[in-house]
Amino acid sequence: MTSLDTIKLIALSLSFAALSGCGDSKISAVKDTRLGSDEFTVGETLSKVKECKSSDWTSEIVNNSTIVTHTCTVKLDDELLNLAKEGELTALKSRADLADLSVTQAVSQARSTHADALRHGQERATQAARRVAEVDRRIQNVATQQRSPFISINGTPLRRGEAPPDEATWEARRAENLAVVNGEKEKLLAEIEAEKQKTQAAIDAALKQIDDASTWNEKYTQEIQRTYQTMVKEVDAYYEKSHILKVKTVFRYREGGNAEPVSAALFIDELEGRSATPVYLMDPKRMREYLTYLTKSGIGMEANRLFEERFPIEHISGPDGGFRYKSAKSAT
């Protein structure tokens, strides 16, 4: 008598066989698809790709659609590896060359701010001298104005029948007018002094920014060289290790319809990297072109990004910003 466990095992095996057969039929349908007016089927084209040392087909259901994936495990030869390493080092060098851009811009901006502050100070000084000269002329006019038998106490011509002010009244009014104008001058001089101090503070702040940025410029030069040399060693170590490259070509298939390519991406050590148009589906000889394009800046290390992470100095933006070491490392 067959046990219940044996019956369950047979049923499970039949289920797996049915699923496998279903998957095989979808894969076969994709393999038999001709894209456009291609002479060969998708399966025939991919089987002719010489850069694949092995290949695999899988299928799964996603959102009621069958997704069929062809995985090509790439033969990573020395030529492709060396080109990728060269691209990695080139990208790293480009990033290192731009590393001092923030401090260079800071020096330039500080110098521009300093020049603007000096120019503003000169313009305000010129305006202040002109305003002081105008007040001094008014003081002189009030102080030297003579009493006239034809001018009223308010300085306007006398009307018919109006008597001119006497000497004492005239002198009292002149003293009042002088006090008002001199008060205006004192207020003006106080405003000019405050503006002068404000301008000088801006000039001093700009000079400090220039000094600080210039100091950090030297530190940047040292740290760029140090970080770059460290990263070059890491690149050498990374490319001495073996890495697994796979090209995964994904198709969408619907029952009764043709398969259509969805994506083609390069996976490096099982991590998805860049993607590009699968030109090798048109001509299997173009897989080399596809791989060269996707690995021209390296194969997954992203040394230029790591340089940014390892670089020890950071720029704090804003009016109160500046430069500082990311860690508690002393500025030596």
Side-chain angles (χ1 to χ4, degrees):
M1 180 179 294
T2 304
S3 67
L4 181 60
D5 288 342
T6 302
I7 294 173
K8 288 182 178 179
L9 182 60
I10 293 173
L12 186 60
S13 299
L14 290 174
S15 297
F16 280 140
L19 288 173
S20 176
C22 178
D24 287 344
S25 66
K26 308 299 184 186
I27 291 173
S28 296
V30 173
K31 285 183 175 181
D32 293 339
T33 296
R34 297 179 189 272
L35 299 177
S37 57
D38 287 355
E39 178 182 359
F40 300 104
T41 65
V42 167
E44 292 170 337
T45 298
L46 290 175
S47 67
K48 297 176 185 293
V49 176
K50 295 181 179 181
E51 285 74 16
C52 299
K53 64 181 179 182
S54 64
S55 60
D56 183 38
W57 290 86
T58 58
S59 67
E60 59 180 335
I61 303 299
V62 178
N63 296 330
N64 297 322
S65 296
T66 300
I67 300 299
V68 175
T69 302
H70 173 266
T71 301
C72 162
T73 302
V74 178
K75 299 175 185 177
L76 186 56
D77 55 43
D78 290 341
E79 180 184 4
L80 193 62
L81 185 64
N82 290 335
L83 285 174
K85 181 180 179 181
E86 180 181 342
E88 191 90 60
L89 290 172
T90 299
L92 173 62
K93 183 64 168 58
S94 297
R95 180 62 190 86
D97 290 342
L98 293 175
D100 65 344
L101 185 60
S102 60
V103 71
T104 301
Q105 289 177 336
V107 172
S108 177
Q109 183 176 357
R111 287 174 177 166
S112 177
T113 301
H114 179 252
D116 289 343
L118 287 175
R119 183 170 54 254
H120 177 75
Q122 292 170 353
E123 292 173 352
R124 298 296 290 179
T126 300
Q127 294 173 2
R130 185 170 59 250
R131 294 171 65 190
V132 170
E134 291 174 355
V135 173
D136 284 340
R137 282 194 296 271
R138 289 175 59 199
I139 292 174
Q140 182 67 17
N141 290 336
V142 173
T144 59
Q145 188 176 14
Q146 298 297 318
R147 185 174 69 89
S148 170
F150 305 106
I151 301 298
S152 71
I153 191 68
N154 296 320
T156 58
L158 290 174
R159 292 175 293 184
R160 183 183 298 272
E162 185 179 3
D166 58 42
E167 186 72 26
T169 303
W170 177 266
E171 290 299 332
R173 175 55 63 91
R174 179 162 58 183
E176 291 176 4
N177 291 340
L178 277 174
V180 171
V181 179
N182 280 319
E184 292 178 0
K185 181 177 180 179
E186 290 178 5
K187 182 179 179 181
L188 174 61
L189 290 176
E191 292 176 356
I192 292 173
E193 181 60 27
E195 181 67 26
K196 183 179 178 181
Q197 292 179 5
K198 181 179 178 182
T199 300
Q200 188 59 49
I203 293 173
D204 293 342
L207 284 173
K208 185 178 183 302
Q209 289 178 354
I210 293 174
D211 291 340
D212 290 346
S214 297
T215 300
W216 280 104
N217 197 18
E218 297 175 3
K219 295 177 181 179
Y220 257 74
T221 300
Q222 297 171 358
E223 295 297 351
I224 288 170
Q225 186 63 22
R226 185 181 305 168
T227 306
Y228 175 72
Q229 291 175 349
T230 299
M231 289 306 307
V232 168
K233 292 178 181 179
E234 292 191 24
V235 170
D236 289 339
Y238 180 87
Y239 281 85
E240 286 176 359
K241 298 178 182 179
S242 61
H243 299 280
I244 300 175
L245 271 64
K246 295 180 180 180
V247 175
K248 294 189 177 184
T249 312
V250 179
F251 302 86
R252 181 184 292 110
Y253 173 76
R254 292 184 177 86
E255 195 73 37
N258 291 326
E260 56 178 344
V262 175
S263 65
L266 179 66
F267 284 70
I268 303 166
D269 297 331
E270 303 303 330
L271 295 177
E272 184 172 358
R274 300 174 62 197
S275 60
T277 302
V279 292
Y280 50 85
L281 289 178
M282 296 178 280
D283 181 355
K285 294 179 181 179
R286 298 186 68 181
M287 174 60 88
R288 190 73 179 186
E289 172 189 339
Y290 176 87
L291 291 171
T292 301
Y293 174 75
L294 291 185
T295 59
K296 63 182 180 180
S297 297
I299 52 171
M301 181 181 182
E302 298 185 15
N304 54 341
R305 178 185 59 80
L306 291 176
F307 180 95
E308 180 71 24
E309 294 179 359
R310 307 280 176 78
F311 191 68
I313 303 174
E314 62 181 346
H315 180 212
I316 310 301
S317 60
D320 298 326
F323 299 89
R324 69 182 182 188
Y325 278 93
K326 295 177 181 177
S327 64
K329 174 181 176 180
S330 61
T332 57

